[in-house]
């Protein structure tokens, strides 16, 4: 699995092709926006019964990364659950799957707008955390040296759009890791406002591809479904 | 036998009108439970359908709804309303006639349900919606007749299946309901009759006199058609000459893009300023209305159009039809020709214009097929299960239902008459629980079985969402196009096309050249340009595949010793092909290998139609990739697939093994974008996902995700799920059209002629100029992206970031 190595506010980071962030110095693995239990929430709220396999798929992919990197700490950067009911109603095997992943390491759940409250699953529940001089929280603020999620950025190169990391000298925004997550175009107003002086986008997928923002802007595929 | 009351027959007499024999037949057989009338355009088909209704309603004793008229077009319903009201008002018949379509106002619709008119004119979708209301049994209780207009068009799509399922419901409410189908000339009337009648009822077929033979020829031009392309620009002056010599001309095209380009070129050459309009599905509704109004008023000398004018509105004075480009399908050609001269018993006049050299052959073949009355068409398979799923949900909206009763009702529909109970139960289970191997939705089931055995919606509020998603027409994902700073839309373009545009690109829409400026709130913003030619010449429209029968005629023509029926330039071209290589035959696949432009080229002449040849390209390049032949790309036409790459193909038989191709469909093609599009269409119809509403697309953007993800997830964790079974079934036709590959394999039985040449063959040469070349994805795509990204990084002085 390829990764994009870069320096951010004095720290060495690796933006991995699968959408996770690796902090080698502290052996920390960071993922954002897992949205576990999304199909359950959609069924509850919209009455649609989507293929109910996204929690298993998300956890399986996360598990593969954890096995490979064996992190000391895992930080889930918010919106780990699609809502608190979905978290508490998670199937027993999904809960035990999470507990297995947590074994032998520190596990932080950072609060998101979808899951603002403690859940009945192991790990520590916090509003935000710091590693060295870096602050990790769900939604970006004006603070410097900050890593956040929430926006699900995506960016297109050569006509193909992929979920991406976005960073400049002050902030880093992570892509969504959950299987049932969509993306927000990198040129959408909220992201433009966060990166007024441009940014580097690191596209995820088969390989991590870094490219500057503000170039090669095309209308991207906006098909999708909303709930 | 129903006789016309004197008031009506007198009215005909005073106008000097007499009924056609088939109109009298329709009255004679008015009591038949089902009846199919096949009549050419202009044969007074619609009146024939309505005469029994007028006769039965003339005494004013019938209360409530008597006749339901269903047509594929909203515009047709409105048109019929006008035409029918005239005699009804003149004669003073006590008959109320109203239409009901997506355009009807909310209050009008409510009133219609409480107090329905005698004759209601509607579309399949509006009818399906009506059957979803709890009061449907009351509204339709007295219904006597249903008249289905243009049933041949409905029968070709899922709209027909949905309509017939809705009729099976109405028949339960109104057991004496009689069905009448009105059809244009088709190759297999019995198949339409099977769809129309309540199974196993018999359905008599009335065939009206077809009228005189059409006057049809290939347009003669001074210039020769080009080797490739679809613009037919060479014919512009000849076409203008014909327009001038006739009163009103319809100029049909197969795609919107071709219509746009032709219209543009026509205006550049239109020195006499003949009033000529354009009409196609991407144009804004108001623009189309204006063209239609001008046409009805007789203000236009010609209309450049697409399939949108295949049906419907009687234009009256059309005396010439010109078909630009090969007709692809003989039946549609005959129906288009019928648009010229709506006067019964006058020959229709039509001219064919081949857009390129190969199409000359195809046009001549089509012409001969028309003269031989040899119509084409593919037999329809069993009723699609995604439509059945939607029907089950619609039934649930109307109230609790019994599964046995519904199953018995559904199997009275011709297309579903062979449906097995387990297949029905799978659909019911899908609607109720999602039908997943993982039973995850016990708490949130959509349908519940009550203690008394009836099924009902778990949450009655779900009915509203289900109703909003009724229908089987796929919104092609289009974006509105607007002039910058102007509110008025010019039309629509497909999202896939919009995605290829960069700022500054110019393209055609509504006959004008515009410059792409950007995307704003899902609207494409453009500015007007005075350029002579657009930079981007084309945008995707429907690309019809040449029919199996027409392909067979072309192959048969290739085997003639010489070609006196073809123009000299085309005959010489085929003779040269025969000399340097060979001409393809019906029972064999011709493969040609030759070097060109530094790459190894291989051309597979499968004559399987554009979609199947495209699929064949995807499958063959994948097999070549596996064999290390390094394919770089391919292009497909209706008759062949041309693949180029680094290494020459020597063993084409190994690439074309039936098992290998079928395996490719199951495994590799399963991950392809065409399969994902097929899945999305069926998943929307079956109610797994909801239609993409514009307001939903605008809000909550990062909360949206593509149905491709659902397809991938389902394929990975539940590969035998009903939705994937349906997707594979759909792949046999439509965009994937694997059925035509099977037809090719069955026809050739492994007989392959592989010819190795030292240069390009005459038959392959035009393919070099074809648009729509497909680069091979996979590792090549990844490399392309990496390179593009690296270039941008370097350009921005950021190349040190790439480790």
């Amino acid at each position: 699995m390829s990764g994009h190595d870069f320096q951010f506010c004095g720290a060495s980071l690796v933006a991995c092709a699968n959408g996770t962030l690796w902090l080698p110095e502290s052996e920390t693995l960071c993922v954002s926006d897992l949205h576990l239990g999304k199909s359950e929430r959609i069924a509850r709220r919209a009455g649609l019964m989507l293929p109910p396999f996204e929690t298993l798929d998300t956890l399986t992919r996360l598990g593969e990364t954890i096995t490979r990197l064996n992190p000391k700490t895992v930080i889930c950067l918010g919106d780990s659950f699609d809502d608190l009911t979905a978290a508490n109603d998670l199937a027993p095997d999904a809960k035990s799957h999470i507990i297995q992943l947590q074994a032998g390491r520190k596990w932080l759940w950072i609060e998101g707008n979808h899951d603002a409250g403690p859940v009945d699953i192991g790990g520590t529940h916090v509003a935000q955390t710091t590693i060295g001089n870096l602050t990790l929280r769900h939604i970006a603020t004006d603070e410097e040296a900050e890593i956040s999620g929430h926006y699900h950025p995506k960016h297109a190169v050569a006509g193909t759009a992929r979920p991406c990391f976005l960073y400049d000298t002050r902030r880093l925004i992570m892509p969504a890791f959950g299987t049932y997550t969509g993306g927000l175009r990198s040129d959408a107003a909220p992201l433009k406002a966060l990166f007024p002086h441009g940014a580097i986008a690191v596209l995820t997928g088969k390989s991590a591809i870094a490219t500057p923002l503000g170039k090669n802007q095309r209308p991207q595929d906006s098909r999708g479904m909303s709930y | 036998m129903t006789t016309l009351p004197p008031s009506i027959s007198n009215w005909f007499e005073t106008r000097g009108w007499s009924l056609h024999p088939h109109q009298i037949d329709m009255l004679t057989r008015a009591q038949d439970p089902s009846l199919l009338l096949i009549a050419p355009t202009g044969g007074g088909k619609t009146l024939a359908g309505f005469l029994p209704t007028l006769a039965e309603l003339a005494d004013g004793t019938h209360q409530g709804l008597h006749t339901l008229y269903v047509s594929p077009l909203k515009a047709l319903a409105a048109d019929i309303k006008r035409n029918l009201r005239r005699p009804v008002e003149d004669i003073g018949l006590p008959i109320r006639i109203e239409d009901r379509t997506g355009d009807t106002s909310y209050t009008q619709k409510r009133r219609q349900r409480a107090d329905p008119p005698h004759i209601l004119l509607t579309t399949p979708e509006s009818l399906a919606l009506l059957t979803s209301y709890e009061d449907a049994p009351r509204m339709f209780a007295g219904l006597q007749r249903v008249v289905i207009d243009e049933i041949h068009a409905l029968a070709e799509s899922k709209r027909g299946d949905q309509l017939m399922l809705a009729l099976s419901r109405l028949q339960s409410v109104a057991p004496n309901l009689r069905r009448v189908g009105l059809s244009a000339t088709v190759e297999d009337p019995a198949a339409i009759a099977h769809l129309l009648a309540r199974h196993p009822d018999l359905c008599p077929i009335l065939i009206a006199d077809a009228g005189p033979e059409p006057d049809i020829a290939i347009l003669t031009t001074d210039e020769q058609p080009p080797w490739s392309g679809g613009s037919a620009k060479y014919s512009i002056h000849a076409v203008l000459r014909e327009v001038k010599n006739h009163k009103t001309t319809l100029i049909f095209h197969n795609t919107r893009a071709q219509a746009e380009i032709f219209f543009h070129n026509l205006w550049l050459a239109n020195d006499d300023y003949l009033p000529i309009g354009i009409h196609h599905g991407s144009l804004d509704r108001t623009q189309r209305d204006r063209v239609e109004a001008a046409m009805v008023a007789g203000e236009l000398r010609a209309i450049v159009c697409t399939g949108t004018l295949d049906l419907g509105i009687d234009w009256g004075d059309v005396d010439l039809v010109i078909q630009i480009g090969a007709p692809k399908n003989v039946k549609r050609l005959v129906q288009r020709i019928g648009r010229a001269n709506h006067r019964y018993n006058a020959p229709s006049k039509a001219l064919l214009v081949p857009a390129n050299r190969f199409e000359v052959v195809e046009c001549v073949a089509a012409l001969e097929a028309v003269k031989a009355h040899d119509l084409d068409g593919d037999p329809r398979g069993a009723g699609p299960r995604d439509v059945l799923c939607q029907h089950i949900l619609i039934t649930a909206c109307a109230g609790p239902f019994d599964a046995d009763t519904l199953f018995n009702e559904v199997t009275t529909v011709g297309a579903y008459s062979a449906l097995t109970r387990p297949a029905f139960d799978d659909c019911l289970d899908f609607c109720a629980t999602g039908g997943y191997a993982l039973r995850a939705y016990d708490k949130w089931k959509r349908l519940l079985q009550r203690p008394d055995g009836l099924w009902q919606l778990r949450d009655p509020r779900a009915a509203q969402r289900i109703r909003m998603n009724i229908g089987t027409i796929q919104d092609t994902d289009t974006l509105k196009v607007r002039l910058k700073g102007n509110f008025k839309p010019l039309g629509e373009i497909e999202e896939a096309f919009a995605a290829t545009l960069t700022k500054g690109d110019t393209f055609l829409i509504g006959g004008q050249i515009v410059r792409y400026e950007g995307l704003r709130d899902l609207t494409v913003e453009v500015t007007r340009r005075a350029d002579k030619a657009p930079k981007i010449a084309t945008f995707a429209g429907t690309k019809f595949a040449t029919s199996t029968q027409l392909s067979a005629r072309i192959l048969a023509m290739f085997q003639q010793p010489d070609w006196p029926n073809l123009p000299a330039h085309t005959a010489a071209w085929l003779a040269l092909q025969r000399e340097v290589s060979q001409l393809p035959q019906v029972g064999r696949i011709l493969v040609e290998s030759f070097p060109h432009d530094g790459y190894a080229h291989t051309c597979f002449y499968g004559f399987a139609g554009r979609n199947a040849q495209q699929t064949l390209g995807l499958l063959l390049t994948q097999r070549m990739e596996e064999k290390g032949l390094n394919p770089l790309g391919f292009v497909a036409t209706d008759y062949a697939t041309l693949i180029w790459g680094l290494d020459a193909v020597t063993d084409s038989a190994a690439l074309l093994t039936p098992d290998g191709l079928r395996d490719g469909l199951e495994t590799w093609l399963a991950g392809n974008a065409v399969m994902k599009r097929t899945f999305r269409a069926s998943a929307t119809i079956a109610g797994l996902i909801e239609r993409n509403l514009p307001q939903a697309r605008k809000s909550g953007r990062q909360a949206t995700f593509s149905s491709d993800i659902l397809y991938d997830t389902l394929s990975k964790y539940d590969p035998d799920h009903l939705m994937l079974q349906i997707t594979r079934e759909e792949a046999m036709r439509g965009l994937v059209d694997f059925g035509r590959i099977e037809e090719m394999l069955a026809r050739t039985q492994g007989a392959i002629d592989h010819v190795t040449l030292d240069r390009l063959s005459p038959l392959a040469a035009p393919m070099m100029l074809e648009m729509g070349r497909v680069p091979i994805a996979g590792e090549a795509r990844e490399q392309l992206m990496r390179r593009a990204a690296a270039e941008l990084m370097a350009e921005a002085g950021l190349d040190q970031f790439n480790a």
Side-chain angles (χ1 to χ4, degrees):
Chain A
M1 174 83 50
S2 84
H4 169 74
D5 299 291
F6 64 109
Q7 293 291 313
F8 175 72
C9 299
S12 301
L13 305 178
V14 186
C16 302
N18 66 0
T20 58
L21 182 73
W22 178 236
L23 291 73
E25 287 145 13
S26 56
E27 293 179 56
T28 298
L29 181 71
C30 190
V31 287
S32 190
D33 297 272
L34 301 178
H35 287 271
L36 300 174
K38 181 149 193 150
S39 61
E40 191 265 356
R41 177 165 172 257
I42 288 170
R44 178 166 20 101
R45 293 172 50 131
L48 297 180
M49 297 174 291
L50 302 185
F53 308 104
E54 88 290 357
T55 300
L56 172 63
D57 191 65
T58 304
L59 292 176
T60 304
R61 289 185 295 113
L62 182 58
E64 283 161 11
T65 315
I66 288 175
T67 306
R68 189 162 43 82
L69 296 171
N70 194 20
K72 280 190 178 151
T73 308
V74 172
I75 300 176
C76 299
L77 215 51
D79 287 1
S80 307
F81 304 95
D82 212 44
D83 66 6
L84 292 174
T85 312
N88 293 320
D89 283 3
L90 226 48
D93 53 345
K95 284 187 181 171
S96 58
H97 199 156
I98 295 174
I99 290 161
Q100 266 175 39
L101 298 180
Q102 291 174 334
R105 56 183 54 90
K106 197 173 150 194
W107 192 285
L108 289 182
W109 300 112
I110 287 178
E111 263 178 26
N113 51 313
H114 279 251
D115 53 356
V119 292
D120 182 23
I121 297 172
T124 313
H125 201 87
V126 294
Q128 60 184 65
T129 190
T130 56
I131 298 178
N133 61 329
L134 301 176
T135 305
L136 293 88
R137 62 166 65 89
H138 182 59
I139 301 180
T141 64
D142 277 342
E143 202 175 315
E144 299 228 349
E146 175 195 75
I147 300 175
S148 62
H150 181 64
Y151 290 100
H152 305 200
K154 66 172 178 182
H155 183 66
V157 170
T160 305
R162 299 253 174 96
C164 69
F165 295 85
L166 290 178
Y167 69 90
D168 59 11
T169 52
R170 306 176 69 236
R171 62 166 59 93
L172 164 63
I173 296 186
M174 292 194 50
F177 188 79
T179 297
Y180 286 178
T181 53
L184 181 66
R185 295 156 39 124
S186 57
D187 62 350
L191 288 172
K192 268 183 161 168
L194 286 166
F195 297 101
H197 308 295
I200 301 287
V202 183
L203 276 65
T204 61
K206 278 187 189 159
S207 43
I209 301 173
T211 188
L213 270 201
K215 293 265 176 186
N216 198 28
Q217 295 289 332
R218 287 168 184 234
Q220 293 165 12
D221 192 344
S222 56
R223 283 185 308 229
M225 297 165 293
S226 22
Y227 301 103
Chain B
M1 160 103 198
T2 303
T3 43
L4 276 188
S7 58
I8 300 178
S9 46
N10 289 344
W11 186 77
F12 277 107
E13 267 167 42
T14 53
R15 303 190 158 235
W17 292 358
S18 59
L19 294 184
H20 294 306
H22 63 265
Q23 292 171 328
I24 296 169
D25 286 347
M26 291 292 281
L27 276 168
T28 312
R29 313 202 65 147
Q31 295 307 315
D32 283 16
S34 29
L35 190 57
L36 174 64
L37 172 64
I38 308 242
T41 327
K45 222 171 18 201
T46 318
L47 184 61
F50 275 110
L51 277 176
T53 296
L54 297 183
E56 287 168 33
L57 286 172
D59 66 4
T61 54
H62 185 88
Q63 297 293 310
L65 194 57
H66 178 282
T67 295
L68 194 63
Y69 165 90
V70 188
S71 90
L73 299 174
K74 282 189 256 185
L76 205 50
D79 195 46
I80 299 290
K81 183 174 70 178
R82 267 195 309 276
N83 293 344
L84 210 53
R85 272 183 176 171
R86 203 175 309 137
V88 165
E89 281 165 15
D90 280 3
I91 302 168
L93 295 171
I95 302 177
R96 214 171 97 213
I97 305 166
E98 288 175 13
D99 63 346
R100 181 190 181 98
T101 66
D103 295 341
T104 309
S105 74
Y106 175 75
T107 40
Q108 168 90 338
K109 281 182 180 170
R110 276 203 80 101
R111 204 187 39 68
Q112 282 174 346
R113 277 166 60 197
D115 177 22
H118 298 109
I119 301 177
L120 184 68
L121 314 160
T122 189
T123 58
E125 291 72 28
S126 288
L127 178 61
L129 183 59
L130 276 175
T131 64
S132 80
Y133 293 114
E134 287 173 6
D135 57 8
R138 201 184 48 76
M139 179 175 178
F140 291 106
L143 186 64
Q144 298 297 308
R145 303 183 73 231
V146 57
V147 177
I148 303 167
D149 206 356
E150 313 274 14
I151 189 173
H152 62 282
L154 287 170
E156 278 175 5
S157 75
K158 293 181 179 177
R159 300 181 72 197
D161 297 309
Q162 174 155 61
L163 172 60
M164 292 307 159
L165 285 167
L167 286 194
S168 74
R169 296 245 68 212
L170 296 189
Q171 196 92 49
S172 297
V173 174
N176 295 322
L177 175 64
R178 288 161 284 157
R179 308 175 177 200
V180 167
L182 309 175
S183 169
T185 317
V186 288
E187 81 287 2
D188 188 0
I192 307 261
H194 174 66
L195 290 179
L196 171 67
R198 172 176 56 181
H199 186 79
D201 290 0
L202 291 174
C203 178
I205 301 170
L206 295 176
I207 299 187
D209 178 12
E213 291 295 312
D215 168 8
I216 158 174
I218 291 187
L219 178 72
T220 43
T221 54
D222 299 334
E223 272 185 77
Q224 295 184 4
W227 287 109
S228 77
S231 78
K233 195 178 167 187
Y234 77 97
S235 69
I236 291 287
H237 289 286
V239 167
L240 272 175
R241 191 182 63 222
E242 294 297 333
V243 169
K244 227 181 285 178
N245 291 339
H246 290 82
K247 217 149 68 185
T248 313
T249 306
L250 287 184
I251 307 173
F252 277 104
H253 284 78
N254 291 334
T255 73
R256 294 165 189 176
Q258 285 168 352
E260 283 281 1
I261 294 164
F262 196 84
F263 181 64
H264 180 70
N265 289 329
L266 213 49
W267 267 103
L268 292 178
N270 185 8
D271 299 330
D272 295 334
Y273 297 102
L274 297 171
I276 298 174
I278 181 164
H279 190 284
H280 63 67
S282 296
L283 289 180
D284 191 62
R285 184 71 246 171
T286 52
Q287 289 219 39
R288 269 188 284 167
D289 287 347
R290 207 159 49 214
V291 171
E292 285 170 21
M295 187 74 183
V296 171
E299 290 162 5
L300 294 179
R301 293 295 298 280
I303 299 189
V304 174
C305 58
T306 63
T308 52
L309 291 192
D310 273 346
L311 296 176
I313 322 291
D314 200 330
W315 295 119
D317 276 344
V318 175
D319 54 351
L320 176 66
V321 161
I322 297 181
Q323 162 73 34
I324 308 281
K328 307 287 178 198
N329 175 309
V330 179
K331 185 169 48 178
R332 192 177 45 244
L333 176 64
V334 168
Q335 287 159 8
R336 282 186 175 174
I337 293 170
R339 303 293 286 167
N341 221 336
H342 270 201
R343 259 182 311 121
Y344 199 48
N345 287 331
S348 308
K349 189 171 173 190
L351 290 167
L352 303 188
V353 183
N356 58 50
R357 206 61 63 92
F358 192 87
E359 287 190 353
V360 174
V361 185
E362 195 175 326
C363 283
V364 171
L367 215 113
E368 289 173 0
V370 171
K371 287 184 178 152
H373 298 274
D374 180 14
L375 300 188
D376 43 16
D378 293 315
R380 289 212 69 205
R385 282 178 289 169
D386 49 359
V387 182
L388 177 57
C389 291
Q390 189 179 111
H391 182 69
I392 293 173
L393 290 173
I394 291 172
T395 305
C397 288
F401 66 90
D402 175 61
D404 296 343
T405 311
L406 183 60
F407 173 70
N408 291 333
E409 199 177 275
V410 164
T411 49
T412 65
V413 177
Y416 294 91
S417 54
L419 182 78
T420 63
R421 185 58 196 253
F424 172 83
D425 287 339
D426 282 350
C427 292
L428 179 58
D429 181 44
F430 167 79
C431 292
T433 70
Y436 299 106
L438 181 66
R439 311 299 286 187
Y441 292 118
D442 281 349
K443 224 167 151 182
W444 309 115
K445 280 178 188 166
R446 211 166 190 181
L447 302 180
L448 292 177
Q449 192 169 20
R450 315 193 300 194
D452 65 359
L454 297 187
W455 292 82
Q456 68 165 47
L457 291 173
R458 176 183 55 80
D459 180 357
R461 289 169 302 178
Q464 202 198 341
R465 292 186 84 120
I466 292 168
R467 289 189 183 117
M468 279 172 66
N469 285 280
I470 284 178
T472 58
I473 305 172
Q474 286 312 297
D475 325 323
T476 44
D477 300 280
T478 54
L479 298 174
K480 279 209 162 30
V481 180
R482 264 180 203 154
L483 283 177
K484 205 170 177 176
N486 194 328
F487 187 71
K488 202 183 64 144
L490 293 173
E492 291 176 347
I493 56 174
E494 277 152 47
E495 276 196 25
F497 173 64
T500 66
L501 294 172
T502 32
K503 194 172 168 167
D505 285 348
T506 53
F507 61 96
L508 276 163
I509 185 152
Q512 44 186 308
I513 292 177
V514 294
R515 180 181 193 268
Y516 176 74
E517 298 295 342
L519 193 69
R520 186 170 172 163
D521 293 336
L522 293 173
T523 301
V524 174
E525 288 198 327
V526 297
T527 49
R528 257 200 198 103
R529 297 280 295 184
D531 302 17
K532 278 250 163 174
K535 198 166 126 198
I536 310 278
T538 175
F539 59 91
T542 325
K543 279 193 168 165
F544 299 112
T546 301
S547 71
T548 314
Q549 290 88 333
L550 195 50
S551 300
R553 273 188 174 268
I554 294 167
L555 285 166
M557 201 191 277
F558 280 165
Q559 295 315 306
Q560 292 173 205
D562 51 19
W563 297 277
N565 51 342
L566 292 178
H569 52 72
T570 306
W573 172 51
L574 295 186
L576 186 65
Q577 169 70 18
R578 181 174 278 165
E579 194 187 313
V580 303
S581 175
Q582 51 177 275
L583 281 162
Q585 303 172 46
V586 176
R588 312 181 71 81
I589 299 177
L590 174 64
V591 181
E592 290 178 333
S593 286
F594 49 83
H596 184 78
D597 217 8
Y599 294 116
H601 283 67
T602 307
C603 197
F604 298 83
Y605 298 93
F607 281 81
R610 186 180 293 273
N611 293 334
Q613 291 287 157
Q614 174 100 6
T615 298
L616 195 62
L618 293 168
L619 293 172
L620 289 175
T621 47
Q622 171 62 15
R623 302 201 74 193
M624 287 168 68
E625 184 103 40
E626 284 164 12
K627 289 174 191 287
L629 294 171
N630 295 310
L632 286 166
F634 73 88
V635 62
T637 66
D638 275 300
Y639 58 99
T641 303
L642 176 68
I643 303 175
W644 57 94
L646 300 180
D647 300 285
V649 172
T650 49
D651 188 1
S652 48
L655 292 176
L656 288 166
T657 55
D659 287 348
L661 292 174
R662 275 176 213 132
D663 192 48
L665 175 73
E666 284 296 317
T667 54
W668 183 77
L669 195 63
N672 187 268
V674 233
M675 290 294 273
K676 291 177 180 174
R677 266 175 80 173
T678 306
F679 168 79
R680 180 155 53 113
S682 283
T684 311
I685 292 171
L688 176 66
I689 55 181
E690 294 185 329
R691 202 169 290 150
N692 220 340
L693 301 170
Q695 56 270 40
R697 278 163 44 154
K698 274 188 189 175
S699 64
R701 284 183 181 166
Q702 72 266 42
T704 68
F705 65 96
S706 151
S707 64
D708 293 1
I709 294 172
L710 298 179
Y711 174 82
D712 289 337
T713 309
L714 200 51
S715 305
K716 193 165 159 190
Y717 295 98
D718 203 347
D720 290 326
H721 188 261
L722 177 70
M723 279 318 307
L724 294 179
Q725 291 176 28
I726 294 175
T727 304
R728 283 191 286 269
E729 228 168 78
E730 293 291 319
M732 296 309 286
R733 43 188 180 233
L735 283 171
V736 183
D737 211 5
F738 197 79
R740 288 287 295 273
I741 294 182
E742 291 283 6
E743 182 273 332
M744 176 192 81
L745 294 170
R747 161 163 58 83
T748 54
Q749 294 290 332
I752 297 166
D753 297 316
H754 192 144
V755 181
T756 308
L757 303 166
D758 56 4
R759 64 195 173 103
L760 189 61
S761 75
L763 206 51
M767 305 213 40
M768 292 291 167
L769 308 167
E770 273 289 326
M771 308 274 280
R773 300 179 152 233
V774 181
I776 302 307
E779 189 46 33
R781 160 68 60 111
E782 208 66 19
Q783 280 179 22
L784 183 76
M785 286 178 69
R786 273 200 289 268
R787 207 182 315 139
E791 277 166 19
L792 291 168
M793 291 294 269
E795 199 182 307
L798 296 166
D799 30 345
Q800 72 277 9
F801 278 91
N802 262 340

